[in-house]
Amino acid sequence: MSEPKYKFLSTPRRPVEDRRFVAGRGKYVADLERPDMLHVAPLASHHAAAVINSIDGSKALAMPGVIDVITGDELAGAVQPLMNGLNTPNVRRFPLAVGRVRYAGEWVCAVVAESRAIAEDALENIIVDATPQPFVLDAEQALLDSSTPVHPEHGSNLLLDRKFVWGPVDEDFAAAAHSLSFSVTWGRNSTVPIETFGVIAEWNGWDQMLDIWASIQMPKYADQIARSLGLPGNAIRVHYDVDVGGSYGVKRGIKHSVLVGYVARKLGRAVRLIEDRLENMRAGDAHGPERKFDVAVAFDDDGTVRAMKMRALDNAGAYAGRAPFQLGKPISAIVGPYKINSVAYHALSVTTNKTVQEAVRGFGQAPTNYAIETAMDRVAEYLGMDRLALRQHNLIRADQFPYLIPSGSHYDSGDYHAVIDKVLAAADYPAMLAERDRLRADGMMAGIGIAACLEPSGGNSSFEPLLNESNKTSTWMESCQVNVDALGCVTARIHTTSSGQGHETLVSTILGEVLQINPELIRITRPNSLESLPGNSPVGSRMAIMLGGAAARAGEKLKAKIMAIAAHHLAVDVDQLRYESGDVIAPDGRSLVWDDMIELAHRQYHSLPDGMDPGLASFDIMQVPTGEALPADGKVQMYPCYAFEFHLVLVSFDPIIGRPDIHSYFIGHDCGTVINPAIVSGMTYGGIAHGIGAALFEEFAYDANGQLLTQSFLDYLMPSSHEVPAINIVKHCTPSPHTVFGQKGSGESGYLGSPAAVSGAINDAVAGLGIHFEKLPIRMSAISDAIAAKSS
Amino acid sequence: MKPVRFDYKRPATIDEACGLLVSDDNARILAGGQSLIPMLSMRLSRPSLLVDIAHIPELTSLVETETHIEIGAMVRQANARASAMVKVHLPLLFKALAFVGHPPTRARGTIGGSIAHADPSAEIALVAATLGAEIVYRVGGADEIFDASSFFIGPMLTLAPPAGCLTKLCFTKAPAICGTGFHEVAPRKSDYALASAAAQINAEVGLGVTGIYLGVGSVGDFPEPLDVDGLIGTSLDDAVIGDVVHAAMEAVETVEDLHASAAYRKRVATELAIRALRDARDEISKDLNQ
């Protein structure tokens, strides 16, 4: 047996964080008490659109325990609008509605009271006089000149309208033997964490400091609050030592935070706002993409897909924010894992009178993958070709990396065919086909779903300058600090909250690997934002690459200093020395052991090399690999790393009942070098469950009056352990050349392909009837109704 | 999600509970709380007084008489499911209880609470309506008895008397030869059903089939017993069952919502009713053919 490559990396180490979470000892925002804390409850709009004529809070204010009633007009005079990612200055967004409400559930005003219960009682005594206005819910309708703009000042509902042509699309379509087109729609869903968003803000006038504890996963959170409140950046102190009970993108809470920040400053008290489930669902401003795709593909008799035209129309909801950028990130992998020569991409984002959209796991990649994989299934169907063979024919080959796709990104590495072969072997594909046929013979509808897709990872924000030329952001760093104290113990600081990604495990494992110290002995702390180096938080599947990278580089800097001290102490050239588990050993056997090294660094300045600073500390601020340049000609190298996943799933259902039963689920997963296997597997299991929800159950659905129908878990159905089958993960490792250990991202794994795979399986089951399901989620009643319509 | 302010009382006897209900027009009974507590939190229910009947001993009894099983209103669904008496004498209810919520909600939820709440998809209400159980209310110091087959009149609407306290549910014991079937369909396990069906066939050696009961739930505003007496004396083969169920389902009105179309509910309720009857038939065919 060969020597293991790593001592701690890729070993089955138990995640550090699990201990406190499993024991119920996590520390969440709702666990925190501040002295004299006040509570906020927002009043939800009943109307999808209305002009606010007046708000009378006098009766509420007269109730015992009620401190204040805050309106949008008051806020608009005191704070700056929330950040807007696009050049749409007249799409202004404040924490509370100003002058008009733009979706049902939007916060009209807010009560501040001694308890949340009192605040909710007071809400019932606020009299709002509002005049209902025309509204628009459907994205295609919103595009029409005849529709009422959600923001009349903006003049239309169009937020983003960008056309890209990468490569000879027209020529490829003309030269191809065939073409086909179709439309599919990704329903509005999200990640819906167990813990809703919560924030506490506390103003200290003597220090001129706003302290904030929040359930946050957001880049530049403190900066945005400071800008909106008109405070210096160093007057906001965000405490990162708060556990976050789930997020996957949506825990932004910027409007909540600006609201309580304003109130805390106004009243000089600690103020808390924790969403209840209704507020989270209808007005947390955390819905995910709702996207209609019109796709055309050109292909040859042998199945070669030459070119693709994609129009993607996203329903952003009532305000802009960063949501339209979710049309930009998929440009990073716009051809999926396939050798498609040219692409035309038309990205459209519109406002509607629905809840505001926020970043969700994959930042738009999962919907796009669903459209691409549907195209592959349609081409196979058109040609009468096997769906698997078609994919294998079009996949980029292992010897073609780095592979430049038409939109300007190089895929770093991969061996897609090898992963698929492994999955087919593990799943016993011929037996799976036989099982499908057996189910069909028994009178069931049965189908196999196939999906191959990529997880762009190591996120930066290249999509911002790509979609908004006035934005010149190319920097998207992450940082880590390491200190070895006078007793020789290692402590690392990370500068963000975690929402279940296991960053403490990540950093301690990597530092342990670099320094060859048991990771269990390495302490990880999360200081507040004022004590932090710059970072961009866990978004874009980046932390294994970026925080892991910064930790490794900081560790290497520390090690270099250790080696320099040892070289001086042992009077040996540094190249001659060997580092082993904290000790430095000379060729002649003499050594400087860890404890003696600490003694030198911390207490014996006279023994250090000339000019060397005392102590043992280092830090690293790392830029995203390959993220050097701004876009040119509508092209950009976006993310540095591309993880691959391949889904194979067998589904069956009774033709009358229509309830899909997932018999077996296999996923081949290649995210390069795995740092902690349990964390990567956990991400993948959860991602697949999330994707099953998107495919079959979850939707923020509105009625014709613009009222959200799915405001609680009564109607917003997430898959439970009963609906998610056993998942078999088939692992493969193609290291990335761009990262310290060859790791790629895995935070979005599973979710990026499972909706496409489950949809593909259901469509395979009904293919014989000539049925295509073209919208997610595919509800059981829709399945049964479609079959009944064909039978009658 | 905080309830409006309310008073809370915990009476020790049924009459004390009834007195409290009389004292306040806006009083509500709290039983297992599995539906009421979320409704309070969402302010969909706004009582001024909650009368918690969990500590009234007579309401928790499960009694077998010569002809009936009497289930106290506060008997927890989990206890009913675990009861040998229910398993032996009320096989249809026994089957249905497995579909009620989840184990944690069945540990709190009660038989009477489910009946009084009258959700159109409630399994216990469907069984009671299908079998024509007696629903006993105490009101004004006397018992008032309702036939479950006509007790439910709309979603969350019943004939329950104002200021009455549901005390027990009386089911006729199943005969020695009895077949049952219960089916329901929901998007996820234990969700509110999109369609459900309950069937029971009673028989006696020598006489053959003596009674056939069928009901469908979750498809309209309330659980609905269907008249399938026409099946008595027939072969009960699949074709006959199919014809009779299709005919019986014709008049059933079904509702549409986000999760299922009205056509889906009708189609699936019909199918489930057929399957439930077939299950019941198959269970007794062995006994009858001895």
Side-chain angles (χ1 to χ4, degrees), chain A residues 433-510:
Chain A
L433 287 168
E435 175 64 5
R436 178 184 67 177
D437 294 342
R438 188 195 64 74
L439 287 160
R440 287 178 176 176
D442 281 356
M444 300 293 279
M445 312 297 287
I448 288 175
I450 296 168
C453 67
L454 297 178
E455 178 175 352
S457 48
N460 55 28
S461 69
S462 298
F463 43 76
E464 292 189 36
L466 187 63
L467 296 183
N468 180 358
E469 279 100 352
S470 67
N471 187 323
K472 302 295 181 199
T473 307
S474 62
T475 309
W476 206 251
M477 77 290 266
E478 202 56 52
S479 60
C480 186
Q481 306 179 61
V482 187
N483 184 49
V484 185
D485 63 33
L487 297 179
C489 301
V490 179
T491 301
R493 293 172 155 198
I494 58 179
H495 311 114
T496 180
T497 48
S498 293
S499 41
Q501 300 95 335
H503 297 143
E504 293 163 38
T505 305
L506 167 74
V507 170
S508 57
T509 303
I510 283 182

Side-chain angles (χ1 to χ4, degrees), chain A residues 1 25 116 184 236 244 246 297 327 413 456 547 572 661 776-777:
Chain A
M1 210 177 122
R25 295 290 177 183
R116 170 76 191 202
V184 286
I236 307 276
V244 179
V297 279
L327 287 161
S413 66
L547 178 57
V572 176
D661 181 15
L776 302 185

Side-chain angles (χ1 to χ4, degrees), chain A residues 86 109 117 161 312 524 621 650 674 696:
Chain A
L86 298 170
C109 59
D161 183 357
I524 309 297
I621 305 175
L650 173 63
V674 167
L696 300 178

Side-chain angles (χ1 to χ4, degrees), chain A residues 569-580:
Chain A
H569 181 76
L570 298 171
V572 176
D573 196 60
V574 75
D575 300 340
Q576 307 281 304
L577 294 172
R578 188 160 53 85
Y579 183 92
E580 198 177 296

Side-chain angles (χ1 to χ4, degrees), chain A residues 399-412:
Chain A
D399 60 12
Q400 293 178 297
F401 292 97
Y403 184 87
L404 177 63
I405 68 167
S407 55
S409 283
H410 275 98
Y411 291 167
D412 55 336

Side-chain angles (χ1 to χ4, degrees), chain A residues 110-183:
Chain A
V111 171
V112 186
E114 296 289 351
S115 78
R116 170 76 191 202
I118 293 171
E120 288 193 28
D121 286 344
L123 289 179
E124 301 192 339
N125 285 324
I126 291 175
I127 300 159
V128 179
D129 179 22
T131 308
Q133 300 292 312
F135 56 88
V136 61
L137 303 170
D138 177 75
E140 293 283 9
Q141 291 286 323
L143 271 179
L144 301 176
D145 289 339
S146 55
S147 76
T148 307
V150 174
H151 296 262
E153 313 82 357
H154 181 60
S156 82
N157 285 313
L158 197 60
L159 291 173
L160 177 76
D161 183 357
R162 282 296 305 271
K163 286 181 177 160
F164 297 93
V165 178
W166 300 297
V169 177
D170 290 339
E171 292 85 340
D172 284 342
F173 264 81
H178 313 280
S179 69
L180 63 80
S181 60
F182 64 92
S183 299

Side-chain angles (χ1 to χ4, degrees), chain A residues 530-550:
Chain A
L530 295 182
E531 294 165 8
S532 291
L533 296 173
N536 283 287
S537 85
V539 295
S541 192
R542 67 196 295 271
M543 288 312 239
I545 294 164
M546 294 303 299
L547 178 57

